[in-house]
Amino acid sequence: MAISSVGFTCRSYFPIRTLQYHCLWKIRFNSVATAIETTDESDGFTKDVDCQDRVADVTRDREWKQLSSKDLGLSSSMIAKPTRQVLNSLKSKGHDVYLVGGCVRDLILKRTPKDFDILTSAELREVVRTFSRCEIVGRRFPICHVHIGDDIVEVSSFSTSALNSPRNMRTDFKESSGSDGDEDCIRLNNCLQRDFTINGLMFDPYAKVVYDYLGGIEDLRKAKVRTVIHAGTSFQQDCARILRAIRIAARLGFRLSKETAHFIKNLSFLIQRLDKGRILMEMNYMLAYGSAEASLRLLWKFGILEILLPIQAAYLARSGFRRRDKRTNMLLSLFANLDKLLAPDRPCHSSLWIAILAFHKALADQPRSPLVVAAFSLAVHNCGDILEAVKITKKITRPHERSFFELLGPEENVELKTLLDEVMDLDASIKDALNQMTDGYFISKAMAAYPQAPYSDLVFIPLQLYLRAGRIFQCVEKEETQMGFEAKQGSKIEYSSLYSGYFPEIRHVFARVAFDTVFPLDVCQEL
C-alpha cells in the first residue's frame, strides 16, 4: 500500500546539487512546514558509473529531507520493547542511535515490521561491552546480535559501514566535510550502501526525525521499489537484491520501477550464483511471512520461478497460466489461504510451505476426490487413526471447489475401504513428491517440455529440512491407535510454536489450509 495522502509535512528540505556542497551544508530544522513534493523522476536507463559519478547520479534531482516523525505518524510506542531497551542503553552511553531499513518503511506504512535494525555511532566492541548477552556475527559485514530475553536485536555500526564503502567515496566525504564527523555525510554514506530507496530511511526516535537522502518517502508515496544506484550495477554487486525486490514488492503490493523490473528480468540468471542457504532464506521470507501468493506470482512473471521451483513453474506453464494472469489456481489458492493465517511478525516454519508444495504436486500429478483430500487433512490434523478421519469426512455435505483440475468429481456411496486405500495412496504420493522436489534429476526434467525456459537443477532444500517436512505426514496410518504422535489442542494458532516447527501446530495449520482450499471456508468448522 502506498501513503494515501499528503497529510504529513516535513520541517525542511534542500535540493541536492553536489556532494561537496551538501557535505559542508548542515541541515537544520526550519519552522516552516513544507508539503512533500510528489513529482516522479525518469525511469530511463543509465550507464555504469564510477564511485563519484555514482553518488552524483544517485542524488541528482532528489532532495535531502528531515521529516518530523510525528508528522509521519511515528511514535516510540510502535517500537518493540526489546528494541527500545537496546536503543535506550546505547543512547545512555552517549552514542547516536537510529532505526534503519525496512522497519522504518513499515512503520511509516502502518505495517508491522518483520524485525527492527539499529544503526549506531558506537563501535561494535563498545556494543558488546554494553550488553551482557551480545556477540559479533558475520565476516564480510559484521554486526552485533544483542539478546534480550528470547529476542535478538541486530545492531550495526557506522564505522563498519564506512569500512565497507568504496575508498574514494570515503575520501570524498572526509575532504568535502573537513572532518570525520560530518553527520549528514556519515548518514548519506550508509544510505548509499542500501539496496532500495524505501529501505534508505533513518529514524532517530530521540530527535524525532526521519532522514531521507534518497527519495525514499517519495517512492513510498508512489508505491515503487527502486534501487539506490543503477539497477544493473546494484544487482551485479549483490544478486540477492533481485529476490529482495520481488519479496518487498509482493509484501507491500508495490510496483517495480521500469529500470528495476528490466534488470530483474535480464539478470535473473545471476541468482544461481547465490549460496543455497541464502536462497532458502530469501524463499522463506517470501513464502512464510504472509505474502506467498503474491511472491509466487512475481517470481513467475519475471521468469525466476523456472530457476528456483521448476516443478511448480512447469505446473503453471502446463495449465496455461500467463505471466500477467489475474486468475487463480489450486497452487496459488493454497498459498493464499496460508497467507491469511500468517503475518510478518507471525511466520511459520519453512517445513510447512515445503509440505504444501509437495501436497499440491501429488494432486497435480494425480487428481483426487475432494473427500480423499478432506480425509487426509483430518488425519494429519488429529494425529489420530485414519478410520476416524474417514468417518468424519463422510458426513461432509458442503460443495467443494470445482474449478481445480486437481479435484475429481464427487464420489457417491464410496466404500470405506476404498476411501481408506485412496488416502494412504495420497500419503505415499506426497512423500514421493517430496523426494522429487529435492532431486536434481527430477527438477532438471520438469521444464524439459519448454525449451525456452532456463535450465535449472537447483536443489536448495537441505536434507534436514526435507526430512522434517516428511515427518509432518508420518502420523497418517491405518492403525486404529497412533503411538508417539501428539494432537493439537484447541483451534487457536500458537505462533511461537508454528515458527519453531512444533509438529502438532504445523499439522494443524497444514490441515486448515488444505481443507479451506478444497471446501468453502465455513466448512472449516468440521475441523
Side-chain angles (χ1 to χ4, degrees):
M1 62 179 275
I3 300 176
S4 59
S5 67
V6 292
F8 56 85
T9 58
C10 62
R11 300 291 187 189
S12 180
Y13 65 86
F14 303 89
I16 281 186
R17 299 174 188 173
T18 65
L19 177 64
Q20 288 74 16
Y21 176 83
H22 282 285
C23 278
L24 289 169
W25 186 270
K26 300 295 184 180
I27 297 180
R28 309 187 295 275
F29 273 111
N30 191 308
S31 59
V32 179
T34 309
I36 294 176
E37 299 289 340
T38 59
T39 305
D40 196 5
E41 98 276 308
S42 171
D43 274 315
F45 304 150
T46 59
K47 297 179 180 179
D48 276 352
V49 288
D50 63 25
C51 235
Q52 287 178 298
D53 291 339
R54 179 157 63 95
V55 172
D57 180 64
V58 168
T59 58
R60 184 181 297 121
D61 299 327
R62 303 185 195 176
E63 295 157 344
W64 288 6
K65 301 185 182 77
Q66 289 190 23
L67 301 102
S68 164
S69 61
K70 181 179 179 181
D71 291 339
L72 289 171
L74 305 185
S75 66
S76 298
S77 63
M78 301 167 70
I79 304 172
K81 186 176 180 180
T83 304
R84 291 205 305 270
Q85 289 182 238
V86 176
L87 289 168
N88 289 335
S89 296
L90 291 172
K91 189 67 175 178
S92 67
K93 297 286 186 179
H95 303 300
D96 294 330
V97 285
Y98 303 88
L99 290 178
V100 294
C103 64
V104 182
R105 172 201 74 208
D106 290 344
L107 290 176
I108 292 173
L109 293 174
K110 303 298 183 288
R111 289 176 171 266
T112 303
K114 178 174 65 68
D115 49 33
F116 290 86
D117 294 328
I118 294 175
L119 178 65
T120 180
S121 60
E123 300 281 346
L124 293 184
R125 291 180 180 177
E126 294 178 284
V127 177
V128 172
R129 287 196 293 269
T130 302
F131 302 96
S132 59
R133 298 175 58 209
C134 178
E135 72 273 356
I136 297 175
V137 299
R139 294 182 179 179
R140 186 180 176 190
F141 300 107
I143 61 173
C144 280
H145 276 178
V146 181
H147 297 263
I148 304 294
D150 294 331
D151 297 292
I152 296 178
V153 180
E154 291 190 358
V155 181
S156 58
S157 171
F158 274 118
S159 61
T160 303
S161 63
L163 289 172
N164 287 317
S165 68
R167 177 187 294 180
N168 57 334
M169 187 184 294
R170 299 198 306 273
T171 302
D172 288 342
F173 287 160
K174 181 176 179 179
E175 292 177 351
S176 63
S177 65
S179 72
D180 290 326
D182 187 285
E183 295 178 357
D184 282 306
C185 276
I186 293 172
R187 285 190 290 259
L188 174 61
N189 181 22
N190 185 272
C191 290
L192 288 171
Q193 297 175 57
R194 299 194 175 273
D195 45 13
F196 307 105
T197 60
I198 58 176
N199 289 343
L201 300 167
M202 291 188 180
F203 174 29
D204 183 339
Y206 299 95
K208 301 187 185 305
V209 178
V210 172
Y211 296 93
D212 177 16
Y213 298 101
L214 306 174
I217 291 292
E218 185 177 344
D219 286 340
L220 283 180
R221 293 175 56 85
K222 296 176 179 177
K224 178 192 294 185
V225 178
R226 177 164 55 93
T227 54
V228 168
I229 62 174
H230 179 255
T233 302
S234 180
F235 294 149
Q236 289 183 70
Q237 285 181 354
D238 182 1
C239 53
R241 290 173 175 171
I242 293 173
L243 298 180
R244 288 205 296 272
I246 294 291
R247 184 226 308 170
I248 293 170
R251 185 186 161 215
L252 299 180
F254 278 22
R255 64 186 176 88
L256 298 157
S257 74
K258 292 179 182 178
E259 179 186 276
T260 303
H262 172 82
F263 283 99
I264 285 177
K265 186 172 184 178
N266 286 277
L267 297 179
S268 60
F269 66 91
L270 292 175
I271 63 176
Q272 296 179 85
R273 301 177 184 177
L274 286 172
D275 178 79
K276 292 180 180 179
R278 182 63 180 276
I279 292 176
L280 175 63
M281 180 184 75
E282 292 294 339
M283 288 299 293
N284 192 56
Y285 284 151
M286 290 188 201
L287 302 182
Y289 284 75
S291 57
E293 181 197 7
S295 296
L296 289 172
R297 285 181 180 273
L298 285 177
L299 289 172
W300 173 244
K301 176 181 178 180
F302 286 100
I304 301 175
L305 199 66
E306 293 95 315
I307 299 172
L308 298 177
L309 296 172
I311 289 175
Q312 284 67 38
Y315 160 77
L316 293 178
R318 206 165 53 242
S319 59
F321 199 78
R322 297 175 181 174
R323 296 293 182 185
R324 297 181 180 273
D325 231 326
K326 300 297 183 183
R327 63 193 174 95
T328 190
N329 53 44
M330 189 173 189
L331 176 65
L332 295 176
S333 294
L334 283 165
F335 281 99
N337 282 320
L338 177 63
D339 290 341
K340 293 175 183 177
L341 304 178
L342 306 179
D345 61 335
R346 299 195 305 272
C348 69
H349 191 271
S350 52
S351 61
L352 177 56
W353 58 261
I354 291 171
I356 291 174
L357 288 175
F359 169 73
H360 175 263
K361 174 172 167 51
L363 290 174
D365 290 344
Q366 184 178 345
R368 309 276 178 168
S369 162
L371 292 181
V372 172
V373 178
F376 179 82
S377 301
L378 287 166
V380 171
H381 176 270
N382 294 329
C383 287
D385 66 277
I386 192 173
L387 182 60
E388 177 188 2
V390 168
K391 289 178 178 178
I392 295 174
T393 299
K394 290 180 71 66
K395 298 178 182 178
I396 296 175
T397 58
R398 302 290 296 185
H400 70 279
E401 173 61 60
R402 297 179 181 275
S403 64
F404 303 147
F405 76 82
E406 294 91 338
L407 300 176
L408 301 175
E411 299 181 44
E412 296 183 3
N413 301 321
V414 59
E415 293 185 3
L416 185 64
K417 184 179 183 307
T418 300
L419 192 52
L420 285 169
D421 290 342
E422 289 187 10
V423 170
M424 293 308 302
D425 188 59
L426 173 58
D427 178 64
S429 296
I430 293 172
K431 292 169 182 173
D432 184 57
L434 269 174
N435 285 328
Q436 293 187 35
M437 285 169 50
T438 52
D439 188 313
Y441 172 79
F442 287 102
I443 289 175
S444 66
K445 294 296 183 183
M447 297 297 291
Y450 310 96
Q452 74 279 9
Y455 172 83
S456 176
D457 59 357
L458 178 63
V459 178
F460 61 84
I461 301 172
L463 175 62
Q464 184 178 9
L465 190 52
Y466 153 73
L467 294 174
R468 191 172 187 86
R471 286 181 62 190
I472 295 173
F473 308 112
Q474 283 182 352
C475 60
V476 180
E477 299 291 345
K478 277 189 176 182
E479 285 79 5
E480 292 185 3
T481 303
Q482 295 298 298
M483 301 298 293
F485 295 110
E486 182 181 354
K488 159 78 175 179
Q489 300 298 318
S491 60
K492 182 179 179 181
I493 298 174
E494 298 294 335
Y495 283 97
S496 59
S497 298
L498 184 65
Y499 178 67
S500 66
Y502 180 54
F503 282 110
E505 204 70 52
I506 292 285
R507 292 179 180 121
H508 168 72
V509 174
F510 170 86
R512 286 180 61 169
V513 169
F515 200 92
D516 290 354
T517 302
V518 175
F519 292 92
L521 288 178
D522 56 357
V523 182
C524 70
Q525 296 175 6
E526 297 285 350
L527 290 176

